Each structure stands twice: as structure tokens, then as C-alpha cells.
Amino acid sequence: MKAIERILLILLLAACASLGAEAQKTYVVSVGLGKYQDNWAAPLSFAPGDARSLATFFDKNRDCEVFMLLNENATRAHILRVLRKMFAKATPKDEIIFIFSGHGFDGGVGGYNKDEFVYCSEIQDIMKQSRAGRKVMFMQSCHSGSFSKKYGDRQDRRRNYRPSASNVMLYMSSRANEYSWGIQGASRSFFMERLYQGLRGSADKNGDKKVTARELFNYVNRWVIYDSDGEQHPQMFGKFDDDMVIVNLN
């Protein structure tokens, strides 16, 4: 092959790779539960702001399709239905992101209707069934660290959850035995505020205009521990490279 042909081939391959990157789509489901039916759970004024902030951020920085569920729209049935429908659209070139802010327990999160629960295992199964090449969860709730566990049923029998695919990141606001904190009246919880600022560039420690998974965790973890006076410790779990780029700042 002549030199000029080799150059043209390299340029063609680079162009195809670039098109593939641009074609990647992100599917986001963002849930914010700040109030509950008949006040069966205490109000969380910051939860809708959490859901809006991250959903808006990704919508501005991705080729993105977003479905947001706030307060009375975030029933158990609606959350599960939207997750299945949205994440089933993804191809192996795509990314799915689940954002949740609201009340949680060791084993899941609450829905809008009274005594209504969405279990870790149900969300894990939907994420697993999606063909997306990258899967991310940002969970702001008390006991959110329990999402790193695999539940065999809805009882207390469990074993460690080990995602089978690479590029799966679970990012949780607290350990399984901890509460997650925020100030009533604030626009975002401690965890989502630091996550939002980190994604916008504060976590870019080396100044390369990229925020990696490890940079994001280190930034958010340090500040949430500070904000909560040491009572809350964010958790990151999954099979992914520490240098996986979460957002390009260029």
C-alpha cells in the first residue's frame, strides 16, 4: 500500500471512530421524591432539586433522552415502567443513567404511595437486562450503600452484588448502615451538591479538562464527609477503570 493510501485509510478510520463517539446516546431516568402521599415519609425539600440538577447537567452535555419523575409521579409502578422502557432503547454503544433522590432503606427505596417500595434487586435486574455499554447509578438516599448487594429475595438473605459487565458504576451517597443528609430548604442534598459541582469541573484535579470516575469519587467523598461532620461516607462500586471519563469539560 502506498503511503498516501495508508494516510487516507488512517483518516477514514479516525472519522468512523469519531462518528461512533458522536452517535452514542445517553438515556437518563431521574427521580426526585420530596413529598409522599399522606406524608407517610418525611418531606425532603432538596430531592426534586437533586433530580433536576443532574438530569439538566447530562442533558446539556450529552446526546441525551431524559425522563424525569417528581413527587406524585414517582410511584413504584411508574418508576419501574419508565426504567424498563427507557433502558430497553439502549444499544451497546449507548449509556444509561439512573438518578434517585428520596427516602431509602437497607434493600431499596420508597415510592410516592403509602408504604410503597422499590427493591434493589428490581432495579439491578432492569440495569442488567439493558444492552447499554455503560451503566451508571447515582443514588441519594439513606442506606443507599445497600445497592451494592445482591438480594436473592425480599427478605434479609443476600450476597455481594458483582456486576457481570465492565463499565458499570454504582455511586451511592452513604454506606448501607448510614443516613444521607441534606439541609431542608436547600436546593440540593450534600451528596448531590458535591456531585454536581464535581461534574462541572471541581473534581478535575489534574486540570486535563476531564473528570474521571476516581477523581469524582475522591472529590465528592472528601467534601460529603466534611459537610456531614463525618456521619456520611459515599460509596462507589462496580467494574470499571478508575480513569473512565465521566465527563469531558471541553
Side-chain angles (χ1 to χ4, degrees):
M1 185 183 292
K2 294 179 182 179
I4 186 66
E5 291 175 338
R6 285 198 296 269
I7 293 171
L8 288 173
L9 179 59
I10 292 169
L11 290 174
L12 178 61
L13 291 173
C16 290
S18 177
L19 284 172
E22 290 174 3
Q24 178 184 337
K25 188 157 188 169
T26 298
Y27 295 91
V28 177
V29 176
S30 189
V31 177
L33 270 160
K35 61 180 180 180
Y36 293 78
Q37 182 186 51
D38 299 330
N39 292 320
W40 80 268
L44 298 171
S45 61
F46 49 77
D50 283 345
R52 287 193 192 97
S53 294
L54 256 66
T56 301
F57 174 84
F58 286 114
D59 197 25
K60 288 181 178 179
N61 290 275
R62 300 277 205 280
D63 177 8
C64 206
E65 184 175 337
V66 176
F67 203 115
M68 198 177 317
L69 296 169
L70 303 177
N71 297 329
E72 64 271 12
N73 290 319
T75 63
R76 167 188 158 79
H78 205 181
I79 292 171
L80 292 174
R81 182 167 60 249
V82 170
L83 283 172
R84 290 190 186 101
K85 183 176 180 180
M86 285 284 284
F87 293 168
K89 297 178 182 181
T91 73
K93 293 183 179 180
D94 297 330
E95 174 185 44
I96 57 174
I97 298 176
F98 179 43
I99 300 162
F100 181 89
S101 182
H103 283 293
F105 58 96
D106 187 359
V109 295
Y112 173 74
N113 292 328
K114 190 172 182 180
D115 297 328
E116 183 176 72
F117 309 106
V118 183
Y119 294 90
C120 294
S121 56
E122 296 174 297
I123 298 173
Q124 289 169 357
D125 287 344
I126 293 172
M127 300 287 286
K128 185 177 180 179
Q129 290 165 15
S130 174
R131 294 181 299 154
R134 188 157 87 173
K135 306 174 184 183
V136 181
M137 294 170 60
F138 296 110
M139 304 298 297
Q140 155 61 35
S141 70
C142 294
H143 313 295
S144 58
S146 64
F147 270 76
S148 66
K149 301 173 182 176
K150 175 67 177 180
Y151 289 75
D153 51 34
R154 293 180 184 180
Q155 305 303 316
D156 202 31
R157 181 166 56 85
R158 68 197 65 160
R159 68 182 194 282
N160 286 339
Y161 174 50
R162 300 293 176 186
S164 58
S166 60
N167 293 335
V168 178
M169 186 175 82
L170 287 70
Y171 201 10
M172 302 154 290
S173 60
S174 63
R175 293 171 178 162
N177 63 346
E178 289 181 338
Y179 295 108
S180 291
W181 300 97
I183 298 173
Q184 290 289 13
S187 59
R188 286 182 287 270
S189 61
F190 291 157
F191 176 69
M192 289 294 190
E193 173 64 29
R194 296 303 184 179
L195 187 58
Y196 181 66
Q197 296 300 335
L199 289 167
R200 293 181 66 197
S202 295
D204 180 20
K205 186 175 182 180
N206 64 4
D208 64 355
K209 300 296 183 181
K210 297 176 183 179
V211 176
T212 66
R214 178 54 59 182
E215 283 180 324
L216 186 62
F217 177 76
N218 287 345
Y219 173 81
V220 175
N221 188 54
R222 180 176 72 253
W223 282 107
V224 169
I225 292 172
Y226 173 82
D227 294 336
S228 65
D229 293 328
E231 295 187 19
Q232 182 179 339
H233 299 79
Q235 303 290 295
M236 185 168 66
F237 189 85
K239 293 180 70 175
F240 55 89
D241 193 310
D242 279 355
D243 293 326
M244 182 175 80
V245 177
I246 305 302
V247 64
N248 282 294
L249 302 171
N250 295 317

